[in-house]
């Protein structure tokens, strides 16, 4: 008789070779802008196979939250940008928290709610004006439900919120954003919540491969650069970006605020003009990143602080708009096989996983209270990522990475 768990056992056995147990704690972004992904039940062993203990969602997908019940995996659930205006109403916020967070606790370990994504770099004042009130309403709901002791409220930012990034010690926020960022930081400090930043060295290399050292962005051996202000040596761009964020926070009086890298990754495929997008480079970036995380190695400015990083992303997502790279950030293909081996010989196997009808499309069996998105939107994450505003946001993200071009040109005397 066929073992009903044979596929899962085989998958775990094989991925043990491809993703050995070298990572003690890593986070993974689980996006679902696709129509060919495995069911959440089949994703559970994949998450465990890479040593991930934390998952970040861009919504609060009930199927995912149910599938991961009693697994011990921690979750950051998301509230899309299109919900912000409604979340400023405390009644809406409480209804959302009850149905999308409280309903799954304690079986599913939800530890944080990310309200909005890269809102401050959308250049939409009405949207940015709703961000903090929405965060406050969600937090108040958690307090009312006596959940604030176990669930934090935060929001993810693009590195484009930085005005200065070279040297890292001179990191500072853009002056025009300080009016929004300062009260958000005050909220995060008072609620003991982390500051989330999305960082992609790939964009800096893609923008100017002649000036940006590929080894520097891929964590490969290189001469590196030295911060002239404190003589700290940097051998990779991601650490420089993290310390620039710490410096920016310190300038506003938040030296002790914890920083999490809510997104970072490298595409395994891209268009002709997307220089650097390849399996080889993706393998080096993510493979070296996972090794660094497993070493519990801090940054030059924060050597004793463990890195808190969420890799982007779990799967290649075939319905994401934009250049080819946007659909090829996954560690896994939709059939459950690795997109590439992280420094090990690849062994292909069919995962035999059932597929879902698209990541975050309409869910007739969704939670009792799942706020309706604006007209012409299918749902939170899909709407944000497929909208023109998301493309603008992507451009700002690229600009944020580009801030390092001047730095590198100066540092390497190019």
């Amino acid at each position: 008789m066929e073992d009903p768990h044979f596929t899962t056992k085989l998958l775990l056995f094989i991925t043990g070779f491809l993703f050995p147990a070298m990572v003690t704690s890593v986070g993974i972004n689980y996006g679902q802008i696709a129509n060919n992904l495995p069911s959440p039940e089949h994703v559970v062993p994949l998450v465990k196979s890479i040593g991930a203990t934390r998952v970040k969602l861009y919504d609060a997908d009930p199927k995912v939250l149910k599938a991961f019940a009693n697994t011990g995996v921690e979750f950051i659930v998301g509230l899309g940008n299109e919900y912000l205006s409604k979340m400023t109403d405390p009644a809406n916020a409480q209804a959302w928290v009850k149905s999308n967070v409280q309903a799954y606790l304690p079986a599913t370990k939800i530890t944080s709610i990310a309200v909005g994504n890269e809102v401050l770099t959308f250049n939409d004042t009405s949207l940015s004006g709703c961000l903090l009130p929405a965060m406050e309403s969600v937090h108040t709901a958690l307090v009312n439900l006596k959940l604030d002791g176990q669930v934090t409220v935060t929001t993810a930012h693009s590195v484009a919120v930085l005005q200065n990034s070279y040297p890292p010690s001179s990191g500072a926020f853009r002056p025009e954003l300080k009016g929004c960022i300062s009260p958000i930081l005050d909220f995060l400090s008072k609620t003991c919540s982390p500051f989330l930043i999305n960082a992609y060295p790939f964009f800096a290399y893609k923008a100017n491969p002649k000036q940006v050292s590929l080894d520097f962005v891929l964590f490969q051996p290189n001469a590196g650069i030295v911060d002239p202000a404190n003589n700290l040596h940097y051998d990779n761009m991601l650490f420089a970006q993290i310390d620039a964020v710490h410096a920016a926070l310190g300038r506003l009086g938040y030296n002790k605020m914890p920083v999490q890298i809510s997104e970072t990754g490298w595409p395994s495929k891209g268009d002709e003009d997307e220089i650097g997008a390849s399996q080889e480079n993706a393998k080096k970036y993510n493979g070296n990143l996972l090794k660094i995380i497993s070493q519990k190695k801090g940054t030059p400015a924060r050597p004793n602080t463990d890195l808190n990083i969420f890799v982007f992303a779990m799967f290649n997502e075939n319905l994401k708009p934009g250049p080819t790279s946007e659909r090829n950030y996954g560690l896994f293909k939709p059939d459950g096989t690795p997109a590439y081996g992280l420094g090990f010989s690849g062994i292909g196997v069919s995962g035999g996983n059932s597929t879902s009808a698209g990541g975050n499309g309409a869910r007739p069996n969704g939670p009792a209270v799942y706020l309706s998105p604006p007209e012409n939107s299918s749902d939170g994450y899909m709407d944000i990522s497929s909208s023109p505003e998301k493309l603008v946001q992507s451009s700002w993200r690229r600009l944020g990475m580009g801030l390092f071009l001047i730095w590198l040109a100066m540092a390497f005397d190019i």
Side-chain angles (χ1 to χ4, degrees):
M1 182 177 179
E2 181 180 357
D3 183 350
H5 301 294
F6 173 76
T7 299
T8 297
K9 292 176 181 177
L10 181 61
L11 183 59
L12 285 172
F13 175 77
I14 290 175
T15 52
F17 287 96
L18 296 172
F19 302 98
M22 61 182 179
V23 180
T24 56
S25 178
V26 65
I28 188 78
N29 282 276
Y30 181 5
Q32 300 183 77
I33 306 179
N35 60 6
N36 57 356
L37 298 183
S39 66
E41 289 76 15
H42 285 92
V43 175
V44 174
L46 288 178
V47 167
K48 292 190 173 183
S49 74
I50 59 174
T53 58
R54 294 166 294 144
V55 172
K56 179 168 157 284
L57 299 178
Y58 293 85
D59 59 7
D61 188 334
K63 293 180 181 178
V64 174
L65 295 177
K66 289 177 182 177
F68 277 84
N70 303 310
T71 62
V73 175
E74 296 182 2
F75 272 83
I76 295 178
V77 296
L79 253 171
N81 292 359
E82 70 276 29
Y83 294 121
L84 294 188
S85 62
K86 290 187 177 180
M87 286 299 106
T88 60
D89 182 337
N92 286 339
Q94 180 134 331
W96 188 91
V97 171
K98 279 186 176 180
S99 295
N100 295 279
V101 177
Q102 186 182 45
Y104 302 99
L105 294 170
T108 303
K109 201 171 181 181
I110 299 173
T111 60
S112 187
I113 301 171
V115 179
N117 187 49
E118 300 186 352
V119 173
L120 300 186
T121 44
F122 263 115
N123 285 341
D124 184 336
T125 54
S126 62
L127 189 64
S128 59
C130 291
L131 180 56
L132 181 57
M135 295 171 69
E136 291 173 333
S137 290
V138 172
H139 176 69
T140 298
L142 291 170
V143 171
N144 293 340
L145 297 171
K146 298 184 180 354
L147 299 176
D148 57 304
Q150 61 188 103
V151 182
T152 62
V153 177
T154 185
T155 186
H157 303 280
S158 161
V159 291
V161 297
L162 295 179
Q163 173 73 17
N164 298 324
S165 56
Y166 172 78
S169 60
S170 70
F173 292 111
R174 286 162 50 187
E176 69 272 24
L177 295 181
K178 286 184 180 179
C180 292
I181 287 182
S182 292
I184 289 176
L185 295 180
D186 184 58
F187 169 84
L188 295 178
S189 178
K190 289 179 178 177
T191 59
C192 300
S193 302
F195 184 85
L196 271 53
I197 195 83
N198 298 337
Y200 288 88
F202 165 69
F203 289 127
Y205 180 75
K206 171 187 170 183
N208 200 329
K210 292 183 179 180
Q211 289 189 343
V212 178
S213 165
L214 183 59
D215 287 338
F216 187 69
V217 295
L218 293 179
F219 307 97
Q220 293 290 96
N222 67 93
I225 58 93
V226 175
D227 187 326
N230 53 25
N231 291 322
L232 291 178
H233 178 263
Y234 290 85
D235 60 10
N236 70 81
M237 181 178 286
L238 183 64
F239 278 15
Q241 291 176 331
I242 295 173
D243 281 349
V245 171
H246 279 300
L249 291 171
R251 274 184 167 69
L252 296 182
Y254 299 95
N255 285 298
K256 296 183 179 180
M257 181 167 290
V259 173
Q260 295 185 8
I261 305 304
S262 40
E263 288 183 21
T264 191
W266 197 282
S268 59
K269 185 179 180 181
D271 295 322
E272 289 186 7
D273 63 343
E274 294 189 285
I275 300 175
S278 69
Q279 286 194 0
E280 179 182 1
N281 289 339
K283 180 193 301 185
K284 289 179 180 178
Y285 185 86
N286 287 318
N288 288 333
L289 177 62
L290 293 177
K291 289 177 184 177
I292 289 173
I293 295 173
S294 71
Q295 295 167 359
K296 294 185 176 295
K297 180 180 179 181
T299 65
R302 303 289 177 111
N304 299 318
T305 301
D306 289 345
L307 297 173
N308 203 323
I309 295 175
F310 288 80
V311 177
F312 187 88
M314 191 71 192
F315 295 105
N316 287 336
E317 301 170 65
N318 69 335
L319 296 182
K320 291 192 73 174
T324 298
S325 62
E326 291 294 322
R327 295 176 287 283
N328 290 278
Y329 273 91
L331 297 184
F332 290 98
K333 298 176 183 177
D335 65 359
T337 60
Y340 45 85
L342 292 180
F344 300 87
S345 58
I347 303 175
V349 60
S350 174
N353 297 339
S354 60
T355 59
S356 60
N360 292 8
R363 298 187 189 93
N365 296 319
V369 178
Y370 203 89
L371 295 177
S372 299
E375 189 174 324
N376 299 323
S377 169
S378 59
D379 124 302
Y381 182 36
M382 176 75 79
D383 174 74
I384 298 173
S385 302
S386 60
S387 67
E389 288 81 2
K390 180 64 176 180
L391 299 180
V392 172
Q393 177 191 57
S394 180
S395 297
W396 273 108
R397 181 186 293 166
R398 288 168 173 78
L399 177 61
M401 297 301 138
L403 294 174
F404 279 88
L405 296 179
I406 298 176
W407 166 29
L408 293 175
M410 294 172 59
F412 288 105
D413 194 26
I414 297 175

